[in-house]
Each structure stands twice: as C-alpha cells, then as structure tokens.
Amino acid sequence: MSKNLLPGPDLNWLGLGADKVLYQLDIPQLVEEAIKNGEGTLSSTGALAIDTGRFTGRSPKDRFIVLDDVTRDTVWWGDVNIRFTQANFNALLEKVCAHLNARKIYVRDGYACADPSYKTSIRVITGTAYQNLFANNLFLRPDAEGNTGRPEWTIIAAPEFQADPLIDGTRQSNFSILNFSKKIILIGGTGYTGEIKKGIFSVLNFILPQHRNTLSMHCSANVGAEGDAAIFFGLSGTGKTTLSADPCRGLIGDDEHGWGDDSVFNFEGGCYAKCVDLTFEKEPQIFSAVRFGALLENTNYFPGQRVVDYANIEKTENTRVAYPIDFIDNAVIPSVTGIPKNIFFLTADAFGVLPPLSKLSTGQAMFHFISGYTAKVAGTEAGITEPQVTFSACFGKAFLPLHPTKYAELLGRKMEQHQVNVWLVNTGWSGGAYGEGQRMKLSYTRALITAVLENKLQDIEFIEHPVFGLQMPVSCPGVPSEILNPGNTWENKQKYDQKANELAQAFVANFKQFEAFANEEIRSSLPKVVENTL
C-alpha cells in the first residue's frame, strides 16, 4: 500500500509487520497523508497545522530511563531521571508494537550530528504522518533515499496507545522511555512531537561527554565571516533565539549542539521555534519559515480563515513551528563550525541585580553553568504574581542523564584548553526589580554582544561586582556607561545591596545539591553572602 517505491526496512526484530509501512515519504506525501487521515489542515501559507491533543508540551514526570548495567552507576537518578525496569520495558514494547501492527505506520531514517565523525543514525517509527514530518524537519536528512539496515537508535512513537499504570509501571497513560542497552526510545500516549526531539538530545547528553570528550549543549550557535563562532545559552524568555539570529552571522543552529575536539556542530537538521505572538517585524526569519513543509503545532486560526492568529493561546502558550534549517536564509549547511571564541550565558534577572554584561573566570563559568539561572515574571505562568528565581542546571536540567558537574567540568576544561571567553548577559531588569525598574533595552544588549564579538572591549577597564565577583566593563560603544554597574542604576543603594544579597543566597542554596560533587574551582566561585545588608 506504500505510495512510494522504496523498499521498507526490516522491522521484524521489533515484531512489526511490513505490509502497512509507509517508508521515507517526502514532504508532499506526508502532508497529503496527514490531511487524508484528518490530522490537520493547511494554513494560508501552506504549513501543515495540527493539534497534539491532550499534551501540548513535554511531560517530565513521565520520562523514564531503563535501569540496567549501562545506566546503573552512571545516570544521575532522581526526579529528572526516573528508573524503569527492564521487564516492564520489554512488556510495554511488545504491547506498543502489537498496537502499531493493527495500523499503517510511517517510518523515516535520518541521523543526528552534522559533524560526520559524530554521525548517529536514527529510525523514527510513528503512528501519525505529522510526527514523521516533524522527524523529517528536525533530524538531519540523509543524501541517499534510505537505509534498510538496522540503525544505531530507534524511536517508536504511538500517540494513540494508552498505558495501564498498574500493569505497565508508568505513572499515567503517557510515557517516554529511554533504553540505552536496546538503543530504543519508546513514546506513547502523547502526540507532542518535542518528546521525539528531546529523547535523542538526552541520548547524546549521555553518550558524548562520557565516550567522546564532547560537551553536549542546550544552546544556539552562530559564526561570523571570519569564522569566529559564538554560543548562546539561555532558558526560555532570555533571548537565546533572538540574539543568536544575526543577519550578519551564519546560523549554525538554534537549540542543540556538540563541542568536540575541533568543532562545534548542530545535532539537528531543523528548528523547533516558539511562535506565540510571532510577527514578521519581530522575527522575520521564523515568520517566513512558516510555509509549505513546515509543521505548526497547537496554533489557532482567525475565525472563518486559514490565517494563523499567533496571539491566540487558547490551546497553549507553547505554540510551535518545526521546519528544516534551510528554511532560514543565513543557515550554515552543513551546520558545523570551529571552536567558539565567545560563549554567552543569557539570564533575564527580574531582580535587577546582575550587570548587563560581565566576564567570568573559569570557575565562575562552571558555577553559573551548573546554576542555569533566570527569573520568571508575573504572567508567564498561572499563579505567578511576582518574580520567581528559576534554576535549571546547564540550562537544560530536564535532559541531563549525567550529574550536572560532569558537564560543568568538561566546559571548564575546554575553556582552559582553547582560551574561550565566557560572558554573563542580563537581558532582564535594571534600576530596580520587576515592577520598579526597566527591562534592559534590546538595542543595548545587542550592542554589548556586538562589542564582544568585534573585540571592542579588549582595552576597556573592568571592575569587580562586590557580591558576585563578576568583572564588569566600565564603558562600551553604544551603551550608556551608567547602566553597566547595576548598583549605580538604583536610587536606593542599600535596597540594591539587600536585593543582591537575597539573590546570592538563592544561588548558594541551589548549589547545595551539587556541592558534594563539585571541584574546588567551582566551590570557590560562589557569590559572597553578607549577613546584614541594612
């Protein structure tokens, strides 16, 4: 029944039959299948618009790792990495495959890691056409038509399958399970495609640091005309995508990368961008990428139209669009560049404490990397009425199978080896906390980053922040000097000192969970908490 002439791969080792397999369909075929199946509709720009159902985001509490000889003594077990038994996995795999055998399934071969020396083959088996389109867009696409041999990793996604927690060992009916011995990612009960993408990211986060001396990173990356690569880390709302999207620099990727012995490379072949409030004026590259071949998730149309209303968040704030990276005009293909010269940690500090730009020592870089700080402000999530401190280790705690210190120490070694500069950039508030101060102007942040990338701060004097010990420039082209030292922007200096002390205490308290595993260089880089500030 296949619409193409490619022979299907051997799936017998999974117990999957081949008579209902649609293999390596191209974009028009997958879109046609999705529409025929009632999975979605075409928007006015030609993008396929679908709903992912009950789940419009990842479900971290339903992500498991199989406990076996490979993972027992290496995985950072806890609330991020939850144990799952081999017996329960084997039984659940058999059930899922039996479920898929009763349906037509979509199979796609691709790979991860744009640097050929790290190439990891992936086979994605899905119960819907739109999930297969997502896999086509996000993973790297092979030059050949396909590979009928057995891949290194297999992803099986069955959104309509519902687990029975009492029998299957899951928490509820949905699940995402990583099996490092069988090299299978098993996903069920959820149609949210981000589980597919982040499953492979977690796999690479486990393998590359341990076996290839390669730092896996939740970051964006770009490169200048002279080959000067830059990396941007940051949690949601800090400006990672916006600040790395520079028309004067080539885009390596927007989310997942590896830093090997002599290269930085994209893990993926596409982008999975948030599109809430998307406009051409704010994000022209992303807006223009929403065309035929792109996949829109959980968006809404204007009434009676096929025009997407990006401001409509009735389904979720986490509206997304997935598209191949070559939909971006300045994308670098293959997405590989050299060792970075500069790394930026982006934080939206809603307390108005951190400088708009500061330079970090190696120890401070490891400390701030393991902290992964930003702040959520009122309105970003239900129930949040005032700024809340948020920490996410290595700016991606949910995807770290290893202890965060492993990644932080590897970062430190690579910094020292290659003499890389690491900068902390506050895209948040200045002159007071959220509600009192002002949000840092994007033009100032861009000017600071540009000054770094163009080596315009080399001869500038730096002074030390009294609490965090960060090195702050006293001047920068295109930026008012008075905002560079955040303490000077507050009318009440004592109030600033108090707020800085409160934030320092939050950093120290968060670090307690890592302290026993951290080296001395990290431990010596904590901010200085003062007992009495008033």
Side-chain angles (χ1 to χ4, degrees):
M1 61 178 293
S2 178
K3 294 172 65 176
N4 60 342
L5 301 178
L6 292 176
D10 179 12
L11 303 177
N12 290 328
W13 66 281
L14 290 167
L16 283 170
D19 57 328
K20 296 182 180 180
V21 171
L22 294 174
Y23 179 57
Q24 215 74 349
L25 299 189
D26 59 23
I27 286 175
Q29 290 172 320
L30 286 169
V31 171
E32 184 180 2
E33 280 286 313
I35 293 173
K36 185 174 70 175
N37 296 342
E39 297 172 14
T41 57
L42 286 184
S43 74
S44 60
T45 63
L48 177 65
I50 60 94
D51 292 345
T52 61
R54 173 187 171 194
F55 293 96
T56 57
R58 290 181 304 100
S59 185
K61 292 182 179 179
D62 300 296
R63 173 192 176 274
F64 306 92
I65 295 178
V66 174
L67 176 66
D68 56 25
D69 291 341
V70 174
T71 61
R72 183 172 289 106
D73 299 322
T74 51
V75 166
W76 178 39
W77 299 110
D79 60 344
V80 171
N81 301 305
I82 306 166
R83 294 175 175 87
F84 203 78
T85 69
Q86 297 177 64
N88 279 341
F89 179 87
N90 292 338
L92 194 54
L93 174 63
E94 186 175 343
K95 286 183 180 181
V96 170
C97 289
H99 163 86
L100 291 174
N101 268 334
R103 295 158 171 77
K104 63 180 175 182
I105 58 176
Y106 301 87
V107 181
R108 159 150 262 97
D109 283 333
Y111 66 97
C113 301
D115 186 326
S117 61
Y118 294 88
K119 185 175 179 178
T120 302
S121 60
I122 301 165
R123 177 164 296 148
V124 187
I125 302 168
T126 64
T128 62
Y130 81 80
Q131 290 174 307
N132 219 257
L133 177 62
F134 175 86
N136 172 79
N137 290 356
L138 264 294
F139 294 129
L140 289 153
R141 294 159 288 280
D143 294 331
E145 291 291 352
N147 172 28
T148 55
R150 188 159 166 176
E152 293 178 65
W153 277 85
T154 300
I155 304 171
I156 304 172
E160 295 180 355
F161 178 87
Q162 302 292 308
D164 184 336
L166 294 177
I167 297 173
D168 298 319
T170 56
R171 186 180 72 99
Q172 50 184 18
S173 59
N174 64 300
F175 53 87
S176 177
I177 310 170
L178 280 62
N179 189 320
F180 283 97
S181 292
K182 290 183 178 293
K183 296 188 176 181
I184 295 173
I185 300 171
L186 188 63
I187 301 168
T190 173
Y192 182 65
T193 57
E195 298 283 11
I196 296 172
K197 162 188 163 70
K198 291 306 183 186
I200 285 294
F201 185 45
S202 297
V203 165
L204 295 171
N205 283 337
F206 182 78
I207 295 171
L208 295 183
Q210 290 192 100
H211 305 299
R212 299 295 300 272
N213 191 41
T214 295
L215 180 62
S216 51
M217 304 177 293
H218 190 208
C219 67
S220 59
N222 65 23
V223 62
E226 303 301 318
D228 53 315
I231 290 173
F232 298 80
F233 288 94
L235 300 176
S236 180
T238 60
K240 176 165 63 82
T241 300
T242 300
L243 292 168
S244 63
D246 185 334
C248 298
R249 297 172 65 83
L251 179 68
I252 303 299
D254 77 332
D255 198 40
E256 300 173 6
H257 296 81
W259 179 357
D261 292 333
D262 53 15
S263 69
V264 166
F265 55 93
N266 197 344
F267 288 165
E268 302 180 304
C271 302
Y272 191 42
K274 288 186 177 179
C275 50
V276 60
D277 292 327
L278 180 64
T279 64
F280 180 81
E281 291 71 25
K282 288 196 296 185
E283 298 282 2
Q285 292 179 318
I286 296 175
F287 189 89
S288 299
V290 186
R291 58 182 193 260
F292 184 76
L295 177 69
L296 283 164
E297 292 185 353
N298 302 311
T299 53
N300 295 275
Y301 293 134
F302 286 104
Q305 303 179 52
R306 291 287 182 91
V307 178
V308 177
D309 179 2
Y310 291 110
N312 187 324
I313 54 172
E314 291 177 3
K315 297 170 187 171
T316 177
E317 286 191 19
N318 189 37
T319 53
R320 295 271 184 170
V321 59
Y323 50 86
I325 195 170
D326 58 13
F327 279 25
I328 300 295
D329 290 337
N330 64 331
V332 176
I333 300 173
S335 303
V336 183
T337 188
I339 300 300
K341 290 188 175 182
N342 293 285
I343 296 175
F344 299 95
F345 294 165
L346 307 176
T347 179
D349 176 25
F351 301 97
V353 168
L354 295 176
L357 178 76
S358 52
K359 191 174 183 181
L360 310 183
S361 68
T362 301
Q364 289 170 339
M366 290 189 285
F367 171 74
H368 282 273
F369 189 56
I370 208 172
S371 299
Y373 164 70
T374 193
K376 293 178 181 178
V377 298
T380 56
E381 290 183 10
I384 294 181
T385 57
E386 58 184 29
Q388 290 189 1
V389 173
T390 301
F391 295 103
S392 181
C394 308
F395 300 95
K397 178 181 177 181
F399 320 117
L400 304 181
L402 306 178
H403 194 280
T405 53
K406 301 289 186 184
Y407 306 95
E409 290 173 1
L410 183 52
L411 170 68
R413 292 197 298 272
K414 287 185 173 293
M415 279 182 64
E416 293 289 336
Q417 179 184 355
H418 300 288
Q419 297 298 296
V420 178
N421 297 315
V422 177
W423 308 83
L424 184 66
V425 178
N426 177 18
T427 63
W429 275 256
S430 178
Y434 172 83
E436 297 179 5
Q438 300 295 318
R439 185 81 190 254
M440 192 69 61
K441 289 184 178 180
L442 178 60
S443 60
Y444 292 163
T445 302
R446 286 195 184 279
L448 287 163
I449 290 174
T450 298
V452 169
L453 295 175
E454 295 180 354
N455 297 316
K456 292 181 178 178
L457 301 183
Q458 282 187 322
D459 299 323
I460 298 295
E461 179 188 356
F462 283 72
I463 59 174
E464 184 174 299
H465 190 278
V467 175
F468 283 85
L470 309 167
Q471 296 296 313
M472 307 177 292
V474 299
S475 64
C476 175
V479 181
S481 296
E482 58 268 22
I483 74 166
L484 296 175
N485 185 339
N488 295 337
T489 65
W490 286 54
E491 290 186 10
N492 187 324
K493 183 65 167 61
Q494 283 189 317
K495 194 172 181 181
Y496 171 81
D497 291 341
Q498 181 185 28
K499 190 62 69 174
N501 198 58
E502 289 175 6
L503 184 59
Q505 288 175 325
F507 269 89
V508 171
N510 176 71
F511 183 70
K512 292 291 184 185
Q513 62 184 309
F514 310 122
E515 190 172 21
F517 301 92
N519 63 29
E520 179 56 33
E521 193 170 13
I522 298 175
R523 292 197 296 269
S524 64
S525 300
L526 272 69
K528 301 167 186 174
V529 176
V530 181
E531 292 301 323
N532 295 301
T533 58
L534 287 179

